[in-house]
Amino acid sequence: MPFDALLHDQATRRLLAYRAALAEQGLCPGLPFRTLAVLTTDLPGEVIELAVTLEDGTHRVQRARPATPMAPAASQVHGLTLEMLQNEQPLRTRRRSLEHLLSQPDADGQAVPLVIWAGDFTRDALSNSFETPFTLPLVSLQPLIQACNVAINPSARSRPSLDGMNWTVPLRAPDRTLALSVAQSTRELVDLLLTSEAIRTAPRRTVP
């Protein structure tokens, strides 16, 4: 099989596998879902910026003052410093309203899936910020996609990246300085996986 045809075949097989795995999590074309993304003080550290995209097209963004130091490597990625966050409230003071927002059912009383890219990282960062475990159900895309990749190609051991998903669908690279950009890219990825055709090679990246 020619190399280009092989790339296209593999991308198509991955896309179909991802789509089936998303359906098992309640993510299907036309059904509502929310996405969540965070910026943190470290790996995982505490949450200092949180963004949620809602099923009606709106979004919420909150910054928070952490109780722990900022890792220099993290600040280099997102550009936030402790000085910039001194006037923000700690995230734990907003826990009740945030969890209410994230867990609201839809108009029919059905649960709305909450989608993130890296589940363990985000859950740990939220738990560190709240000082008690964050327990709301999450659909974590990275391990879901990794499991599909390994099922198709057992030698595929590296964890997939959000940016790297543009090898399967034409996804724009997120702006890592904004939690909202990552949340929007996560939403775009789900929509693309549910509705688009696979592509053979990575498209040109553009920052949203």
Side-chain angles (χ1 to χ4, degrees):
M1 179 182 294
F3 185 65
D4 282 354
L6 179 63
L7 286 177
H8 184 65
D9 176 69
Q10 290 183 349
T12 300
R13 290 174 62 196
R14 289 197 304 269
L15 179 61
L16 293 175
Y18 302 157
R19 195 167 289 169
L22 291 174
E24 292 179 359
Q25 300 295 322
L27 292 164
C28 300
L31 294 182
F33 66 94
R34 300 169 186 140
T35 64
L36 170 67
V38 299
L39 304 181
T40 63
T41 59
D42 206 340
L43 297 173
E46 292 183 60
V47 173
I48 53 176
E49 185 172 282
L50 177 149
V52 181
T53 70
L54 302 174
E55 59 274 25
D56 62 2
T58 62
H59 62 263
R60 304 287 188 275
V61 178
Q62 291 184 349
R63 284 186 172 179
R65 184 178 75 245
T68 54
M70 184 85 70
S75 188
Q76 287 176 4
V77 171
H78 51 57
L80 296 177
T81 64
L82 291 180
E83 290 72 21
M84 296 168 64
L85 301 167
Q86 283 307 304
N87 294 328
E88 304 292 344
Q89 295 298 314
L91 194 64
R92 65 179 180 274
T93 65
R94 305 172 182 173
R95 178 171 189 163
R96 181 173 298 181
S97 61
L98 176 61
E99 291 189 339
H100 177 75
L101 175 69
L102 297 177
S103 61
Q104 276 282 85
D106 64 16
D108 297 323
Q110 300 298 311
V112 178
L114 178 60
V115 183
I116 57 174
W117 175 250
D120 290 344
F121 173 86
T122 303
R123 191 183 295 280
D124 287 348
L126 287 167
S127 296
N128 290 340
S129 300
F130 293 148
E131 299 177 340
T132 54
F134 178 77
T135 58
L136 290 183
L138 299 173
V139 178
S140 181
L141 294 183
Q142 188 181 58
L144 180 151
I145 287 168
Q146 184 177 21
C148 292
N149 290 349
V150 172
I152 293 171
N153 178 9
S155 65
R157 297 302 182 188
S158 60
R159 291 189 304 171
S161 68
L162 179 59
D163 302 41
M165 290 303 296
N166 68 354
W167 282 95
T168 302
V169 290
L171 180 70
R172 296 175 299 169
D175 180 352
R176 296 292 178 179
T177 67
L178 300 171
L180 179 59
S181 178
V182 179
Q184 290 172 330
S185 291
T186 304
R187 171 169 290 278
E188 181 184 359
L189 174 60
V190 174
D191 285 333
L192 288 170
L193 293 180
L194 293 178
T195 62
S196 75
E197 298 294 328
I199 60 175
R200 291 184 297 175
T201 57
R204 186 184 303 277
R205 291 182 177 180
T206 58
V207 176

